[in-house]
Amino acid sequence: MSDGVRSRGTKVARLIDEYDLPGTGARLEAAWTGASGERTSLRDLADEFNERLLEVTLREAGVSPHEVDVTGTYETLQEGSGSERTRARRRLEREGVDVETLSNDFVTHQAVHTYLRKDREASLPERDGDVVERKIETIEKLQGRVAVVTETTIESLVSAGEHDHADYDVLVDVRAICSKCGSDSSIGELLQQGGCGCTTSSE
């Protein structure tokens, strides 16, 4: 699908237009689905996209990207200490960069996912569904092993006179609680659904 086929409603789509980044949508899709080789994670795609925004912003300010460590500057803005971020911001401001606007334009991995699914109608290859099922099966087997080990431990303690009795139902339930919306899901449900879905309508 070409970048101009669908209307641009998501943040990533808007930024592709505003920063004049032709071909970026196709590259994001190919990297995410693995069409161009090994799949790239959404977080890495978001970082690469944001670095591209920084590079374009520097060029528009008359600064050659070769004069600035784009990747290093971006990482400092995102993960540096308070003083490091301040120094990086001041340097960009001296070069004529509107750092506040640029920072607000930086996207999250959820935004990239929303763009790929909504604007490009992209989806992962079917084989990934098998991967998810295998991961769930592995977790369920581990849960079963933990339950067996726990029951055996109780029984051994009872035999040693260190516990009252072994008549217990041992339940092992791995759950995932989203830090954003507070949803509580079993790990199997979460993996099958591809997430809790709390961000799909906000980007």
Side-chain angles (χ1 to χ4, degrees), residues 93-197:
E93 288 170 351
R94 287 197 299 270
E95 300 290 354
V97 172
D98 184 340
V99 181
E100 192 66 29
T101 297
L102 176 63
S103 297
N104 289 335
D105 282 345
F106 284 160
V107 301
T108 63
H109 71 282
Q110 293 100 329
V112 174
H113 184 256
T114 299
Y115 165 72
L116 291 169
R117 295 300 297 269
K118 288 188 175 181
D119 282 322
R120 298 196 64 84
E121 298 181 344
S123 60
L124 294 178
E126 289 298 324
R127 64 178 181 273
D128 282 61
D130 297 332
V131 173
V132 171
E133 291 302 322
R134 288 199 299 270
K135 297 297 185 183
I136 293 175
E137 182 178 355
T138 298
I139 293 172
E140 289 176 345
K141 286 181 179 178
L142 289 173
Q143 290 179 207
R145 287 173 59 187
V146 171
V148 170
V149 170
T150 303
E151 290 170 350
T152 301
T153 299
I154 294 175
E155 290 172 357
S156 65
L157 289 174
V158 171
S159 300
E162 299 291 334
H163 204 71
D164 55 353
H165 64 85
D167 188 20
Y168 295 95
D169 293 323
V170 177
L171 303 177
V172 179
D173 184 19
V174 179
R175 306 191 66 81
I177 300 175
C178 177
S179 61
K180 294 182 179 295
C181 68
S183 64
D184 183 352
S185 310
S186 71
I187 192 63
E189 293 173 344
L190 185 74
L191 297 182
Q192 287 175 336
Q193 295 169 1
C196 64

Side-chain angles (χ1 to χ4, degrees), residues 51-63:
E51 288 180 27
R52 182 70 174 126
L53 298 187
L54 173 57
E55 183 179 339
V56 170
T57 301
L58 287 169
R59 184 179 295 111
E60 290 181 346
V63 181

Side-chain angles (χ1 to χ4, degrees), residues 41-96:
S41 72
L42 290 169
R43 292 186 185 278
D44 286 344
L45 289 177
D47 287 338
E48 292 172 11
F49 185 83
N50 291 338
E51 288 180 27
R52 182 70 174 126
L53 298 187
L54 173 57
E55 183 179 339
V56 170
T57 301
L58 287 169
R59 184 179 295 111
E60 290 181 346
V63 181
S64 170
H66 299 296
E67 300 175 13
V68 178
D69 179 2
V70 174
T71 298
T73 300
Y74 170 71
E75 291 177 350
T76 299
L77 290 174
Q78 295 296 94
E79 301 175 359
S81 65
S83 60
E84 290 172 337
R85 288 198 301 271
T86 298
R87 286 196 296 270
R89 291 175 67 94
R90 286 176 177 171
R91 180 183 179 185
L92 291 174
E93 288 170 351
R94 287 197 299 270
E95 300 290 354

